[in-house]
Amino acid sequence: MPILVQFLLGLLFGTGLIVAGMSDPAKVLNFLDLAAIPSGTWDPSLAFVLLAATAVTFVGYRLVLRRPRPVFDTQFHLPHKTRIEAPVIVGPAIFGIGWGLVGLCPGPAFTALGTGRPEAFLFVTAMLLGMVAARLLALRAIGGSAQRA
Amino acid sequence: MTLTDFTPFASLSGGALIGLSAVLLMGLLGRIAGISGIAVRLLPPYLDADTRGRMAFILGLIAAPSVWLLTTGAWPQVTLEASAPLLLVAGLLVGFGSVWGAGCTSGHGVCGLSRLSARSFVAVGTFMATAFLTVLLVRHVF
């Protein structure tokens, strides 16, 4: 049952990306192109996606986190780190460069993969390699006792 | 570059669906809907027993365009104009950076901002800044 639920939630997330237009890297790049504002070709859609998604999540989290535990687990798995350390600046800085080069972040990379495009396959393969590299480096740095991301 | 239309209503609706998925994932499974965090744990080393659930979530993401095709009769638009070497480099940077920084547009963006996490505000501000700068350089300088 939880497995089916997680499949359906992935499907809902992906459908949200498609409805929002975020499955198209062109829309993402046209948002990131601030220099296009004067010429009128800037596409602010991504800001509206983030606004609606965070608004729903902000309210929804407050409702569900009031419950003693999630329906299919014994506890909520919330990030426990609060300190602002170098990785939380260095990592996103690197991520942003890759995102700006092609217009794909991890969610839309998987929906793009679902259209069967070979370019998406290449991107996702490289992305997974980069992810494993970062995780192995991070695990080595902290003695393999904790996990990140 | 390919011009795109500003779609405020579709983007608000799609964003709400993304938020709904994040809220349900927390309420039902107790998990943050961070795609990079889910994806990296599909691969070894396995530190907990929830790999199958994560695989199901990612398969749901991958299935979304097919379900879209079956219900609307058309694939969603995916404009990819980058060369193969650029796709490879960008994929490595996106994968490495998202895991090194413990989150991407979904984990830090949607979920972290909603939890008012200071780390996520720093992360989102940083990746937005480097993404804006990258597009500026690629489109208008080089």
Side-chain angles (χ1 to χ4, degrees):
Chain A
M1 180 65 181
I3 297 282
L4 178 66
V5 167
Q6 292 193 68
F7 175 81
L8 292 174
L9 291 181
L11 187 61
L12 178 62
F13 196 106
T15 303
L17 285 173
I18 295 169
V19 170
M22 295 299 103
S23 49
D24 187 1
K27 270 186 92 65
V28 175
L29 290 177
N30 288 341
F31 169 77
L32 294 173
D33 189 4
L34 295 184
I37 294 176
S39 60
T41 56
W42 185 51
D43 184 350
S45 301
L46 188 149
F48 283 63
V49 181
L50 193 59
L51 181 76
T54 47
V56 169
T57 309
F58 181 84
V59 175
Y61 268 11
R62 265 145 199 80
L63 296 175
V64 300
L65 290 172
R66 235 184 255 162
R67 301 167 61 88
R69 60 187 192 88
V71 175
F72 297 113
D73 203 335
T74 54
Q75 57 169 324
F76 293 107
H77 304 270
L78 294 170
H80 49 271
K81 286 190 179 174
T82 51
R83 280 184 55 194
I84 309 216
E85 295 155 326
V88 88
I89 296 170
V90 174
I94 294 171
F95 165 79
I97 295 169
W99 190 34
L101 285 176
V102 170
L104 281 175
C105 54
F110 284 113
T111 53
L113 184 66
T115 64
R117 296 278 296 269
E119 299 98 319
F121 183 79
L122 183 62
F123 183 91
V124 168
T125 305
M127 181 178 83
L128 291 174
L129 276 173
M131 286 179 166
V132 172
R135 189 161 182 239
L136 291 178
L137 263 177
L139 286 171
R140 176 186 285 190
I142 51 177
S145 58
Q147 61 185 132
R148 34 184 327 127
Chain B
M1 62 178 266
T2 302
L3 293 179
T4 52
D5 293 324
F6 174 36
T7 53
F9 299 109
S11 289
L12 284 171
S13 314
L17 295 180
I18 293 167
L20 183 63
S21 171
V23 171
L24 290 173
L25 191 64
M26 183 59 72
L28 297 172
L29 283 309
R31 297 281 178 184
I32 292 276
I35 308 303
S36 59
I38 294 173
V40 71
R41 292 192 181 86
L42 293 181
L43 303 154
Y46 300 113
L47 302 178
D48 67 24
D50 207 33
T51 308
R52 287 197 322 156
R54 296 193 179 100
M55 181 60 84
F57 187 91
I58 296 293
L59 285 176
L61 263 183
I62 295 173
S66 300
V67 174
W68 186 263
L69 173 68
L70 288 174
T71 47
T72 68
W75 286 109
Q77 181 69 31
V78 179
T79 315
L80 281 169
E81 292 159 334
S83 64
L86 191 61
L87 286 165
L88 201 72
V89 169
L92 284 169
L93 293 174
V94 164
F96 187 92
S98 61
V99 169
W100 194 253
C104 54
T105 27
S106 50
H108 276 312
V110 177
C111 301
L113 296 184
S114 301
R115 294 177 62 242
L116 305 179
S117 154
R119 278 166 58 85
S120 293
F121 277 92
V122 170
V124 173
T126 306
F127 68 62
M128 282 292 179
T130 58
F132 284 138
L133 193 64
T134 302
V135 173
L136 179 74
L137 292 174
V138 168
R139 282 198 176 172
H140 304 283
V141 179
F142 296 118

